[in-house]
Amino acid sequence: QVCTYPCQCPSQPLQCPAGTSHVLDACGCCKVCARQLGELCSPQKPCDHHKGLYCDFSKVHRGSGICLAHEGATCDLLGKIYHNGESFQPTCKLQCICMDGAIGCIPLCSDDLRLPSPECPSPRRVRFRHKCCEEWICEEGSEENRFQTAMAVFREDPGQKPEPNNLQENCLVQTTEWSACSKSCGMGISARVTNDNPQCRLEKETRLCMVRPCDFPMEKSKKGKKCVRTPKPRQSLRFELSGCTSTRSFRPRFCGSCTDGRCCTPSLSSTAAVEFRCPEGDFFQRKMMFIKMCSCHYDCPRDNDIFLATYHRRMIGDHV
């Protein structure tokens, strides 16, 4: 198809299946849903290069090719073999993909939490027939029980009950500590649960985190010291995420190493918004952890990165 400029893209937001990347068409104009393994492809309907797929035109049929995967290791899950680049659903709650011998999955059901509130004093998750994911329902109760339950979340004030339109003022903020970073090196994810929002609802928050770069040289510890001082890179750097680069450069602190076999992880950190710019010109913001202090301990976190075999793989191109 001939490209026309200026670009004319659909006004409707792009709706792609779970786990499918948004990629630019051959004209470099519009984002489209990337074609998956075995699907027909063309320059206007490119394959998902994040998953190592390419459009094979050796058996062209009416200008279309077929998405194939570059050679890579297959995956074995419960005795079933999946090819490199193949997407599959082992259960209705998971969408998975085989990437060079490693299996990565994303949940199809939300794992959000919910606290009692005046509008929903007794939230409960139930599973409906013919539906895979559980859904929240609000059980009705008497007016007295309704506010009595809600007061467990809101500040106790005998003279005033929390009004639905004044939730934030009456909300008793509850926030957990940030979890350990999902990766011991490179970019990972940390999470916490909080109800610090206008609805006073318990929700899961995430932030990007980097304990240390994977190619970061460890400093040698001084004699008589078990902890290595939290090192800073000599030059400022830009963070990378799925082929996108931070608009600002930073000199963040990283955690060093411990000489006695203990783990060196962040003990004090802050959170700030970082803006990323993608090759296509898109901008987006993500919360990110900035380390202030590290400490040595024996409670070493296990590596829970699901893409174990692709630990050093860097996604290039578009972001979802």
Side-chain angles (χ1 to χ4, degrees), residues 31-235:
K31 290 287 185 72
V32 295
C33 298
R35 297 292 168 149
Q36 304 303 303
L37 186 68
E39 295 181 348
L40 294 178
C41 55
S42 68
Q44 294 301 110
K45 299 175 181 177
C47 300
D48 199 336
H49 61 269
H50 288 158
K51 301 176 182 177
L53 304 181
Y54 69 97
C55 196
D56 182 15
F57 290 101
S58 60
K59 297 180 180 179
V60 177
H61 177 66
R62 295 180 181 177
S64 295
I66 188 169
C67 286
L68 298 179
H70 295 288
E71 288 188 16
T74 58
C75 302
D76 184 354
L77 181 64
L78 301 177
K80 190 169 183 179
I81 303 297
Y82 298 95
H83 297 287
N84 180 37
E86 183 177 357
S87 296
F88 57 97
Q89 278 189 252
T91 71
C92 63
K93 295 184 178 182
L94 291 174
Q95 177 73 39
C96 301
I97 180 175
C98 172
M99 290 184 66
D100 197 16
I103 296 176
C105 302
I106 59 172
L108 299 178
C109 300
S110 71
D111 58 349
D112 62 328
L113 303 171
R114 190 163 184 174
L115 279 173
S117 66
E119 298 94 343
C120 188
S122 303
R124 187 164 60 93
R125 293 191 79 159
V126 297
R127 179 175 295 173
F128 292 97
R129 192 177 180 184
H130 306 305
K131 286 189 177 182
C132 176
C133 303
E134 296 177 335
E135 297 181 10
W136 285 106
I137 63 168
C138 297
E139 294 183 342
E140 294 294 333
S142 65
E143 190 72 11
E144 182 179 352
N145 291 337
R146 177 182 178 184
F147 282 106
Q148 189 175 11
T149 305
M151 288 301 287
V153 181
F154 293 89
R155 301 184 188 281
E156 295 184 10
D157 184 359
Q160 183 183 6
K161 293 178 180 179
E163 296 296 333
N165 60 353
N166 198 25
L167 298 180
Q168 186 67 28
E169 185 178 335
N170 293 288
C171 184
L172 182 61
V173 176
Q174 303 176 56
T175 305
T176 65
E177 295 292 332
W178 287 103
S179 67
C181 193
S182 61
K183 284 190 175 182
S184 58
C185 75
M187 192 72 79
I189 294 176
S190 177
R192 71 176 181 181
V193 176
T194 181
N195 66 335
D196 190 6
N197 52 64
Q199 293 76 33
C200 195
R201 281 190 56 181
L202 200 61
E203 294 178 341
K204 185 178 180 181
E205 276 186 345
T206 59
R207 66 175 181 177
L208 300 174
C209 53
M210 185 183 291
V211 178
R212 62 184 66 84
C214 290
D215 55 353
F216 193 68
M218 293 298 183
E219 294 185 4
K220 293 183 179 180
S221 61
K222 296 179 181 179
K223 189 176 181 180
K225 297 248 182 178
K226 290 186 177 180
C227 266
V228 175
R229 181 178 58 86
T230 305
K232 269 190 175 184
R234 294 179 180 177
Q235 296 180 342

Side-chain angles (χ1 to χ4, degrees), residues 244-257:
C244 307
T245 309
S246 62
T247 55
R248 282 184 53 202
S249 57
F250 300 87
R251 285 194 65 209
R253 291 182 181 273
F254 295 123
C255 289
S257 59

